[in-house]
Amino acid sequence: MQIRTRLTLLFLLIAASILAGVLLIVYEVYQKNMVESFFAGLKTRAEMAVQTAVQQTDRLTPLPNQWTAPENDSLPYRDNISIYNDAFERVFSLHPESAPVSPKALQDAYQHGETRFTHYNLFAYGTLITVPPGKPYVVVSEGYCDPHELYDLRKILIFSFIVGLSLIAVSGWYYAGRALAPVSDIINQVDDLYPSDLSRRVTAGKDQDEIARLAETFNRMLDRAEQAFRMQRMFLSNVSHELKNPITAIKTQLEVVLQQDRDQDKYRNVLQSVLEDILMINAIEENLLQLARIYNDPQAIKMSACRIDEMLWQARSTLHRRNSEYKILIDLKNLPDTEDSLFVTANEALLCNAFINLMDNACKYGSNKTASVMVHLRPDHDHLVEVADDGPGIPLEEQALIFEPFFRSPRHLQIKGTGIGLSLVQSILQLHHISLTINSPESGGTVFGLQFPKQTSISNV
């Protein structure tokens, strides 16, 4: 069942319940008021009969018993006034042949001063009077309450209920369609989207309602999908090139060296070159695996309390083992009195890798293969780490591209690299909610700033 139909039926059910309740209350109130008004008229007639009875006390003698019971529980007259003495004997009646009221009704009048009851098809009102010299009597006024007014009212209410439900159903269907029209429009727009063109976005008008929020959610999802498809296309177009170059170099060198016998030094040089190419392929593989791990299941990456200074020294040591010519200067500012302030919540392996890539870039592009690491330690663990070099800097137009996978600046193609390092750094920092800034003035040099988020307390267990 479509949402429009379901909403219309639900709206109709609610409206029908409310409308039926209101009409039923109207009917009950009208019926009660009509009965009350009718009994008020009977009471007035009874009071008039009391005045007459008081003036004719000498005539209040028991009437002969000549009444006959009606055949169909319906009295032949429409109104009557009767008077009964304390022996429950009828001493006056406009219709002497009519059936007398029950002793129970008379007894209620004697006990309570007045009573209301039904007598066959008539409504009756009885009131107690005292006739001089103190003898009690009960005056009963009866009348026929015509039910046709109630019948007509019931017909009117039923007709109003049917017409009202019809109008509610039509209006509910119309407004449900209008309310869901933006959703249908979003569905049509999404249906027109294809993987080949994810640049289009869903529009939902200018209203800031739930539909607009739904469209914004779709657009954010499309942003992520477009980014994923773009990265996939970039991966397919670049990874083959990045892997093809070292594989081709390995293949060429091996073919050349196998064409004829060489001396030991030449074999050593070829093997050293092949080893460097293999190490590059291995670096590309490791970075790609880490990128895939971060993108595929970031929730599965475990975080723990890690010392920021130890991770920096570990990254420095790892780079020294890879390249002994690198110089990495680490300066810790504002050393705390206790080591608790040195801890941050992180995945140690990933954050170390990010430090390694930043230090490696600083050494590769610096003029003397030197990276300066400035660490500003703060009590709230919102530490600031700055990795600086004195290289040629990064042009402003390239600063937004250096984090794209496999991007290599045309100015540094002679320097060996995979083009994945900074992309991996950005992904790792986003996973740790660490903000990254770049300061690269035209005069040269680049400073990467890593701002850690504030953390109230960290367990170093």
Side-chain angles (χ1 to χ4, degrees):
M1 182 183 295
Q2 292 187 350
I3 295 179
R4 183 179 186 182
T5 304
R6 189 161 60 246
L7 286 177
T8 303
L9 292 178
L10 181 60
F11 179 66
L12 186 62
L13 178 61
I14 295 174
S17 301
I18 297 175
L19 183 59
V22 171
L23 295 181
L24 182 61
I25 292 174
V26 170
Y27 180 80
E28 292 294 334
V29 170
Y30 181 83
Q31 183 185 35
K32 182 179 179 180
N33 290 337
M34 188 181 72
V35 171
E36 290 292 331
S37 177
F38 189 79
F39 272 111
L42 293 180
K43 183 178 181 179
T44 302
R45 291 172 57 191
E47 291 174 350
M48 294 175 60
V50 168
Q51 299 298 327
T52 304
V54 171
Q55 297 175 4
Q56 299 179 3
T57 56
D58 55 334
R59 298 183 182 180
L60 298 180
T61 58
L63 298 177
N65 188 2
Q66 54 182 356
W67 66 278
T68 56
E71 296 180 356
N72 57 357
D73 291 336
S74 179
L75 296 176
Y77 51 85
R78 292 301 178 98
D79 53 41
N80 188 20
I81 296 179
S82 303
I83 302 177
Y84 296 84
N85 59 20
D86 56 355
F88 301 157
E89 295 175 329
R90 186 164 51 182
V91 296
F92 174 81
S93 180
L94 294 179
H95 299 280
E97 75 284 359
S98 63
V101 300
S102 65
K104 183 181 182 305
L106 297 175
Q107 188 177 11
D108 290 341
Y110 277 110
Q111 290 179 352
H112 305 292
E114 65 177 6
T115 184
R116 294 181 179 184
F117 58 96
T118 56
H119 187 212
Y120 291 95
N121 60 327
L122 304 181
F123 286 153
Y125 172 81
T127 182
L128 178 65
I129 65 170
T130 303
V131 177
K135 191 171 183 179
Y137 291 90
V138 174
V139 178
V140 177
S141 176
E142 302 174 83
Y144 178 74
C145 185
D146 193 350
H148 286 92
E149 290 187 13
L150 287 177
Y151 294 157
D152 293 340
L153 177 62
R154 193 155 51 235
K155 291 179 182 179
I156 293 173
L157 294 180
I158 293 174
F159 177 77
S160 301
F161 181 75
I162 296 174
V163 173
L165 283 188
S166 301
L167 294 176
I168 291 171
V170 173
S171 59
W173 179 263
Y174 172 74
Y175 284 107
R178 289 198 59 181
L180 294 173
V183 178
S184 300
D185 183 51
I186 291 176
I187 293 174
N188 294 332
Q189 293 183 57
V190 173
D191 283 339
D192 292 337
L193 295 176
Y194 295 96
S196 58
D197 182 16
L198 291 177
S199 61
R200 298 171 57 186
R201 291 296 179 265
V202 175
T203 58
K206 299 180 180 179
D207 296 334
Q208 297 299 319
D209 53 11
E210 289 80 0
I211 305 299
R213 291 173 56 191
L214 176 63
E216 292 174 359
T217 303
F218 269 119
N219 288 336
R220 288 195 294 269
M221 181 187 68
L222 288 172
D223 290 339
R224 294 191 292 270
E226 184 182 16
Q227 181 182 6
F229 275 94
R230 186 173 65 251
M231 289 187 63
Q232 182 184 35
R233 287 193 294 267
M234 186 180 299
F235 175 83
L236 293 176
S237 60
N238 290 289
V239 73
S240 59
H241 174 73
E242 296 295 332
L243 294 177
K244 184 178 180 180
N245 287 341
I247 292 175
T248 302
I250 293 173
K251 178 177 177 293
T252 302
Q253 291 178 86
L254 293 178
E255 288 176 346
V256 170
V257 79
L258 290 175
Q259 287 179 355
Q260 60 184 16
D261 293 336
R262 311 283 178 174
D263 56 36
Q264 185 175 357
D265 291 338
K266 290 185 178 179
Y267 281 123
R268 182 180 297 275
N269 292 336
V270 170
L271 291 176
Q272 182 64 36
S273 177
V274 169
L275 178 60
E276 291 177 358
D277 291 333
I278 292 176
L279 290 176
M280 179 177 292
I281 295 175
N282 185 61
I284 293 175
E285 178 191 12
E286 289 181 356
N287 288 335
L288 289 177
L289 288 176
Q290 288 191 342
L291 271 177
R293 181 185 175 194
I294 294 174
Y295 279 114
N296 290 338
D297 193 7
Q299 302 299 327
I301 298 176
K302 295 182 179 181
M303 301 288 183
S304 61
C306 308
R307 284 188 54 154
I308 189 171
D309 57 336
E310 291 182 353
M311 287 188 289
L312 288 170
W313 291 114
Q314 181 180 347
R316 178 177 179 270
S317 176
T318 301
L319 273 180
H320 276 165
R321 287 196 302 270
R322 293 181 183 176
N323 194 325
S324 59
E325 296 180 357
Y326 284 176
K327 298 177 182 179
I328 301 172
L329 308 176
I330 298 178
D331 186 6
L332 299 175
K333 299 289 186 180
N334 305 321
L335 281 173
D337 297 331
T338 61
E339 66 176 7
D340 291 343
S341 297
L342 296 173
F343 284 88
V344 294
T345 302
N347 182 281
E348 185 174 359
L350 289 179
L351 196 54
C352 273
N353 198 351
F355 289 148
I356 290 172
N357 278 284
L358 290 175
M359 294 177 184
D360 183 47
N361 276 359
C363 292
K364 282 194 300 185
Y365 298 106
S367 60
N368 55 0
K369 297 184 179 181
T370 301
S372 299
V373 181
M374 188 78 67
V375 184
H376 303 270
L377 299 172
R378 295 167 182 171
D380 291 337
H381 308 276
D382 54 338
H383 310 304
L384 175 63
V385 177
E386 294 178 324
V387 181
D389 64 64
D390 60 351
I394 304 174
L396 185 62
E397 63 273 10
E398 291 185 4
Q399 291 182 13
L401 301 175
I402 59 175
F403 298 107
E404 295 291 338
F406 302 107
F407 174 80
R408 298 290 308 280
S409 173
R411 300 179 300 121
H412 305 299
L413 293 179
Q414 74 280 4
I415 300 176
K416 286 188 176 183
T418 63
I420 308 176
L422 287 180
S423 176
L424 180 60
V425 168
Q426 185 185 48
S427 300
I428 293 174
L429 297 183
Q430 288 177 349
L431 179 68
H432 289 80
H433 305 289
I434 300 172
S435 61
L436 177 64
T437 59
I438 302 175
N439 183 16
S440 185
E442 295 182 358
S443 57
T446 303
V447 179
F448 286 88
L450 281 65
Q451 180 65 60
F452 285 72
K454 283 187 176 182
Q455 302 176 66
T456 54
S457 63
I458 298 176
S459 174
N460 56 4
V461 179

